[in-house]
Amino acid sequence: MATRSSARRDTGVHTRSFTGCATCRSRHVKCDEGRPTCSMCAYFDLPCAGYKKDVFFDTKNPESRIRFRRPLLTEEERQRMSQWLVSTAPPKSTTRLLSRIDEESERHASCSDDIGLVYGPFGVFKVRQRQDECSSPLAGESLPLQVVEELESEDTSTSSPPQDISQILETLPMASTFAQWSPEFMQSLLEQPEQGLTPTTPDLLEMIMDQGHLATPSIIMPQRDYQLTTFVPTSYSPVSPLTSPSITKSIPQDAVFLLKHYSSTVISLMTPLRHKKTPWHILFIPHVKDCLAALALGEDLSHASLCTFFGTLAISAFSLGGVSQSETWLDQAQIYLQRAREHARSMLITAYDIPKPAKYKSILMAILTMVQVSNFSGNRHQAEEYFLEAEKFIRLRGLERKKSRKVRLLHHCYVFERMFHESIFICGANSIQRRHVRRAIESSGLSRCSVDGLSFRLYKWQNLQQEMLRVRDREEGENDLHLERPGLFSATLYPEIFGVPEPWILLLSLVIRLGVEKDGAEQDPGGSGLNLKDYISRAKALEDYINQLQRPSEMAIASATQQSLIDRHILENMLEAMRHALAIYFYRRIYNLNASMLQEKVVKVRDCLIQCQCADSSVVHGSASFIWPAFIAACEAEDPEVQKSFATWFDTSARRSGLSCFSQTLGSVEKIWEEKCHAYGKSVTWLDLMRRTGSQQQGLVF
């Protein structure tokens, strides 16, 4: 039996799980796939459920090139589509257009043997239509489309194609899909634009919709940017015979191009690891691709899905706008961002309704997407609002449930970004929105599901060294949302997503919490917070643990990266920069140590950043993770040369990534440097500047 199954795999024969009607598949019976109903269902006198509108490829045998799929349309829809296509092309026009195709093929045959004719969605011809024509035969009994009469009245002696077809043919030497555009190829094309691109088109089905949906792209024309060496598409217009013109217009024309840039470039900014198991590869990209396919097929989407879709396009457009210095892309990013905000607003109104309007993962992905686009665009105040919405949603809908791996991936993404945000955004600790979220969680009765407290207060530990070695069980490890309690959790996903051990994030949380205790004692000396003895004791324990912090072993780093020596070098320097930045943050936040005593650590952070940037001449993987240690160290830099090197790093990162958060963070750092110049020897920190100006008004960002 094993021999028979292996022989079937070798011959490339597909298994019956990929074929057959829904009734036979549910009964595990071999189906003859008869149309419109199979004979097996007729034999057993069962109603045939028909065939789903899915495209499913059998990839278990990579050596076989044979693929199997089910039709997207039912038998009735296919017959109606065939009748509609025939009715749109009368014999006279069809013969004339086919003869013109032959003539154009002969005319171009001398130039190239590889001729790509894109006269329509099926690669045959395109018939000009009136504006008042019917849109689609799939919506019901629609009238046949009328063909423009000018095709019948044209002079048959001329052999030149219509004007619109001539324009298409003229652009063919430059037509290609961006899936083939490597950086080296694009650079060579810019240097020798007369050579152009070949009109060959790869398998767009896998490139665009590898989740089982189909979208047919049109030609994407690159434009030469004379200021920067980059490609900017003029438009992207998905054309499908399955959708009406009104549906096609609702699809953003540059969606596929932006999604490709997001997949290839933007994701690399979020993690230094290049494996395909990150939350963006597993959750975000497939979800956005499904949204694009659903829009192409005219399906209705929830506000959560549309928020994620337009938010992702906004992030990619912001990045492209920054890289190419194109105001067009930045304006388009603002349009997508506004649409994402509108859907986010509608989503949050009904997010807690029963029955639920969307899946838990879909809503949380939408909120996290808005967090990302707010951070990348430099709007930290708006990011604060979405962080609080994410916390509220997780505590009310996520902690009491059994958490799958995908849900835990999303929770880790939230906590990782929230810790860095909380370490800097301190002026809004008692804001109205935070109090509102706290009351909503407490009144729901679900605060019992949270292992940690609802405010960033310090856990009453005694011996930190002993507590950090304590093994936490699954409930404590998953429901200690903001890492309040020290301990080890073997199922953590931080090293797998960001390459950072969980104890590092936990120590940052403990420093934040001790800083909150310090602020509370300064504002209310007679309060119920820590006394001076306990404060000093805990601060000393944290200081010792941070100074003794060990980097992951070389074997652990090699296992995490699974890539080249350059990737390992980048990850090692990122961890080293975070370790020194964590110490700088501790000494400034807890002890308010003079900056002159921290210059050695500042220089070490600077050196790590420069080494990573020199190791990768393109966008450094995980650049978004570098921005926190860069900000913490740069604020304390006193040497003008060191300040200049930090400024150069921020400028280079902004130019390579296209994200304004780098340049805006540099603006905040330069404010602090300016304050130091006018302080006449007085120690000035980012804490002083934030307390004086207020982060909600001035927007101090990192």
Side-chain angles (χ1 to χ4, degrees), residues 244-450:
S244 64
S246 60
I247 295 174
T248 303
K249 291 179 181 179
S250 65
I251 303 174
Q253 294 183 343
D254 47 15
V256 175
F257 183 86
L258 290 175
L259 182 56
K260 185 68 176 180
H261 178 74
Y262 182 87
S263 304
S264 61
T265 303
V266 177
I267 288 181
S268 65
L269 302 173
M270 304 177 187
T271 173
L273 308 178
R274 301 199 189 193
H275 59 69
K276 303 299 182 181
K277 298 180 182 179
T278 68
W280 300 278
H281 293 95
I282 296 176
L283 293 169
F284 286 88
I285 291 180
H287 184 64
V288 176
K289 287 182 177 180
D290 284 339
C291 293
L292 178 59
L295 290 175
L297 295 175
E299 298 177 5
D300 294 330
L301 295 177
S302 64
H303 289 293
S305 297
L306 290 173
C307 176
T308 305
F309 178 72
F310 288 109
T312 302
L313 297 186
I315 294 173
S316 185
F318 275 123
S319 175
L320 274 173
V323 170
S324 62
Q325 296 296 306
S326 170
E327 292 295 331
T328 303
W329 278 119
L330 296 177
D331 294 341
Q332 194 67 23
Q334 291 294 339
I335 294 174
Y336 290 144
L337 178 57
Q338 182 59 33
R339 297 186 67 176
R341 288 172 180 169
E342 293 172 357
H343 288 294
R345 191 179 302 110
S346 301
M347 173 194 69
L348 292 174
I349 293 175
T350 61
Y352 304 93
D353 290 354
I354 299 177
K356 57 183 180 181
K359 293 183 179 180
Y360 174 80
K361 294 192 296 292
S362 298
I363 297 177
L364 186 54
M365 272 192 290
I367 301 176
L368 293 179
T369 300
M370 297 308 298
V371 168
Q372 291 173 357
V373 70
S374 300
N375 285 338
F376 287 158
S377 61
N379 193 335
R380 300 298 298 179
H381 178 60
Q382 192 171 81
E384 159 82 359
E385 298 176 357
Y386 288 115
F387 270 124
L388 296 179
E389 290 293 344
E391 177 187 357
K392 177 182 174 183
F393 186 69
I394 292 174
R395 292 191 187 277
L396 294 183
R397 290 291 182 267
L399 295 186
E400 65 175 347
R401 59 182 290 158
K402 184 178 180 180
K403 303 166 193 62
S404 64
R405 176 180 174 82
K406 292 182 178 180
V407 169
R408 294 183 60 238
L409 284 172
L410 295 175
H411 288 184
H412 278 69
C413 289
Y414 158 74
V415 177
F416 187 80
E417 295 294 335
R418 179 68 186 272
M419 288 299 106
F420 292 134
H421 170 84
E422 202 70 24
S423 66
I424 304 297
F425 201 86
I426 63 172
C427 293
N430 295 316
S431 64
I432 298 176
Q433 187 180 7
R434 293 202 175 203
R435 292 197 297 267
H436 171 74
V437 170
R438 195 174 302 130
R439 287 195 300 266
I441 298 173
E442 291 172 347
S443 61
S444 68
L446 294 174
S447 58
R448 53 179 172 77
C449 300
S450 302

Side-chain angles (χ1 to χ4, degrees), residues 61-233:
N61 186 9
E63 298 180 356
S64 175
R65 295 185 179 180
I66 303 176
R67 302 194 202 179
F68 308 94
R69 67 180 182 182
R70 301 193 197 95
L72 285 171
L73 304 178
T74 63
E75 184 74 17
E76 181 181 356
E77 289 172 336
R78 288 159 65 190
Q79 291 178 358
R80 200 177 338 149
M81 175 65 73
S82 299
Q83 296 171 0
W84 171 64
L85 288 174
V86 172
S87 66
T88 60
K92 272 190 176 182
S93 300
T94 304
T95 304
R96 184 169 302 157
L97 287 170
L98 289 176
S99 65
R100 287 176 179 172
I101 292 177
D102 293 337
E103 293 172 359
E104 290 299 327
S105 300
E106 294 176 0
R107 186 162 66 91
H108 287 276
S110 60
C111 300
S112 174
D113 294 334
D114 186 12
I115 300 174
L117 297 173
V118 286
Y119 278 11
F122 299 100
V124 181
F125 58 88
K126 179 178 180 181
V127 179
R128 301 180 65 181
Q129 302 165 354
R130 290 178 178 172
Q131 295 181 353
D132 57 348
E133 61 189 8
C134 298
S135 59
S136 173
L138 302 182
E141 298 297 333
S142 59
L143 296 175
L145 297 178
Q146 300 180 6
V147 182
V148 177
E149 297 179 357
E150 64 182 35
L151 289 175
E152 299 290 341
S153 61
E154 286 177 353
D155 183 10
T156 58
S157 62
T158 179
S159 61
S160 62
Q163 182 179 2
D164 59 335
I165 299 179
S166 300
Q167 294 174 353
I168 294 177
L169 290 173
E170 290 175 1
T171 61
L172 277 176
M174 288 292 292
S176 177
T177 54
F178 48 79
Q180 296 177 311
W181 292 354
S182 63
E184 296 80 9
F185 182 74
M186 293 196 300
Q187 179 66 27
S188 64
L189 179 65
L190 287 174
E191 295 174 354
Q192 299 177 350
E194 67 278 359
Q195 294 180 0
L197 301 176
T198 59
T200 58
T201 303
D203 189 359
L204 294 173
L205 184 61
E206 291 184 352
M207 183 192 72
I208 302 172
M209 289 289 103
D210 56 359
Q211 301 301 314
H213 298 286
L214 181 63
T216 306
S218 66
I219 295 175
I220 300 177
M221 295 301 300
Q223 285 185 341
R224 179 88 178 266
D225 190 322
Y226 293 97
Q227 295 180 350
L228 292 176
T229 305
T230 183
F231 268 89
V232 182

Side-chain angles (χ1 to χ4, degrees), residues 500-635:
V500 180
E502 181 173 289
W504 295 40
I505 311 300
L506 196 148
L507 284 173
L508 177 59
S509 174
L510 295 181
V511 176
I512 294 171
R513 295 173 186 277
L514 188 59
V516 171
E517 297 290 342
K518 176 185 176 183
D519 294 339
E522 292 176 352
Q523 296 173 4
D524 185 14
S528 58
L530 291 176
N531 55 42
L532 181 59
K533 180 180 178 181
D534 290 339
Y535 178 84
I536 295 177
S537 174
R538 294 173 187 271
K540 180 61 177 175
L542 269 176
E543 179 184 7
D544 293 340
Y545 204 93
I546 291 173
N547 290 330
Q548 298 172 8
L549 197 62
Q550 298 293 326
R551 292 191 306 167
S553 63
E554 295 289 338
M555 184 177 299
I557 293 178
S559 176
T561 56
Q562 297 179 352
Q563 295 291 333
S564 62
L565 292 175
I566 295 179
D567 297 324
R568 299 180 191 177
H569 181 69
I570 291 175
L571 182 57
E572 290 174 356
N573 280 278
M574 185 195 75
L575 293 173
E576 189 70 10
M578 292 189 66
R579 186 169 70 92
H580 291 297
L582 180 61
I584 296 172
Y585 179 77
F586 169 81
Y587 285 118
R588 264 308 200 183
R589 184 76 173 94
I590 304 303
Y591 289 153
N592 196 19
L593 200 65
N594 192 282
S596 60
M597 304 179 68
L598 301 173
Q599 294 307 299
E600 181 181 358
K601 295 184 179 297
V602 169
V603 173
K604 288 182 178 179
V605 173
R606 189 274 314 267
D607 293 342
C608 291
L609 299 177
I610 294 178
Q611 289 181 29
C612 290
Q613 227 171 39
C614 295
D616 192 345
S617 59
S618 59
V619 177
V620 177
H621 278 66
S623 295
S625 301
F626 284 89
I627 196 170
W628 184 81
F631 173 79
I632 295 298
C635 290

Side-chain angles (χ1 to χ4, degrees), residues 453-471:
L454 301 183
S455 58
F456 278 81
R457 303 306 295 263
L458 195 63
Y459 182 65
K460 304 298 182 181
W461 46 266
Q462 297 296 330
N463 189 328
L464 182 60
Q465 293 283 351
Q466 183 177 351
E467 289 287 334
M468 291 293 287
L469 297 176
R470 180 179 62 88
V471 178

